[in-house]
Amino acid sequence: TKLGAMLAADKLLLTSTIRKNATELKGKELELHKTNFDAVGTQAAVLAGFAITGLCEFHVPEKAHPVLSGGFYVFSVIALVANLRCVSLTTCITVLGTGLALRGPDGSMIKAVEGMYTSRYSVFMTFGVGVMSALVTSCFICWLLMELVPSVICSSLLLWAMVSTARFYRHYSALFAFNEEHTVTFDDILGSDGVSNDALLRQLGIDGNAEAADQTTQAGRATARGAFEPPGRRHALMGLARILGLVLQYIPAKT
């Protein structure tokens, strides 16, 4: 029975160590998502500043074609709205996600990380719309301010930038793509079904209710401490107890 209690205590310690390491890995993933969202939000804020500056400072020529002037205003507003939406998304995700991971109940770390991971698509798509709208706005500015030849050249360069951006996005998406079913997860360790003491004790193979299992675990730990206690320390304590006994016997006899 003592050996079984020691094994149960060792299994519980091992499971606790695995959960600690898994939590640290999830913390690194949380920090990675936070860094990515901060970078995207910063770039979106810069593009939003360019968009609002263009709307306020750029003066459309009076003789400009209505299609060109209308396209400029429409895509400027789209760029502004998309980039501000991206800034708002990244701010909400990073603030609320990290708060849930650090201050939430058991299982909140994995919930926060998975939530931030699934929110990437919305954030990146909004940022892509903002970038493309900024490039299209630049094309309209070229046609509003420049002559025919310079406007054609600049518009061609901007069109090449849009096409190349879309192409290398598809290229890198395919290069770093992976099957979601093959990802490494810690749901069995950090999930809500595996964080309770009862579930941990079931994983250890300990039968009975939680109170009996807890008593068994405490007994195993006490046995382990007694087994690994240095013999010199036990002898010193026994000698000290004998000396105290002799002193207590001597004092009443003297009085």
Side-chain angles (χ1 to χ4, degrees):
T1 57
K2 292 183 178 181
L3 182 60
M6 291 177 60
L7 291 175
D10 291 339
K11 288 181 180 180
L12 183 62
L13 178 61
L14 178 60
T15 305
S16 301
T17 304
I18 293 174
R19 287 183 58 197
K20 177 178 177 294
N21 294 334
T23 304
E24 291 179 353
L25 290 176
K26 280 296 180 182
K28 293 180 180 179
E29 186 177 357
L30 179 73
E31 185 65 25
L32 173 64
H33 292 323
K34 181 180 180 298
T35 303
N36 293 338
F37 285 138
D38 288 341
V40 174
T42 302
Q43 300 300 323
V46 173
L47 293 176
F50 289 158
I52 193 66
T53 302
L55 285 173
C56 297
E57 300 295 334
F58 181 73
H59 299 285
V60 178
E62 296 180 357
K63 297 182 179 180
H65 196 277
V67 175
L68 297 178
S69 60
F72 166 75
Y73 286 119
V74 169
F75 282 96
S76 296
V77 172
I78 292 175
L80 176 63
V81 171
N83 288 296
L84 289 179
R85 183 176 185 271
C86 184
V87 173
S88 301
L89 285 174
T90 54
T91 303
C92 292
I93 292 171
T94 53
V95 172
L96 299 178
T98 53
L100 174 63
L102 297 178
R103 300 179 62 87
D106 291 338
S108 297
M109 175 67 74
I110 188 170
K111 181 180 178 181
V113 172
E114 293 300 325
M116 296 176 74
Y117 181 78
T118 55
S119 301
R120 295 181 311 136
Y121 179 79
S122 176
V123 172
F124 293 159
M125 286 299 297
T126 305
F127 181 69
V129 171
V131 171
M132 290 299 176
S133 299
L135 292 174
V136 175
T137 302
S138 301
C139 288
F140 282 106
I141 292 176
C142 293
W143 285 96
L144 288 171
L145 297 181
M146 300 178 185
E147 297 294 334
L148 179 61
V149 176
S151 62
V152 171
I153 296 175
C154 294
S155 298
S156 300
L157 292 175
L158 290 170
L159 181 62
W160 172 82
M162 288 186 283
V163 173
S164 62
T165 301
R167 290 184 62 184
F168 72 67
Y169 172 75
R170 292 182 59 185
H171 171 70
Y172 288 119
S173 296
L175 180 63
F176 299 114
F178 59 91
N179 191 352
E180 295 288 345
E181 297 179 355
H182 298 162
T183 56
V184 178
T185 61
F186 302 98
D187 296 347
D188 54 342
I189 300 175
L190 297 178
S192 59
D193 295 334
V195 295
S196 62
N197 293 329
D198 295 340
L200 285 175
L201 294 173
R202 285 196 299 269
Q203 292 178 6
L204 300 179
I206 303 176
D207 298 328
N209 54 19
E211 183 178 359
D214 185 64
Q215 293 177 358
T216 304
T217 303
Q218 291 180 0
R221 291 177 179 175
T223 305
R225 286 196 299 267
F228 290 100
E229 187 178 2
R233 184 178 178 183
R234 290 200 302 270
H235 293 163
L237 292 175
M238 292 175 63
L240 181 61
R242 292 177 181 177
I243 293 173
L244 291 175
L246 292 175
V247 171
L248 292 176
Q249 291 178 2
Y250 173 75
I251 292 176
K254 186 176 181 181
T255 55

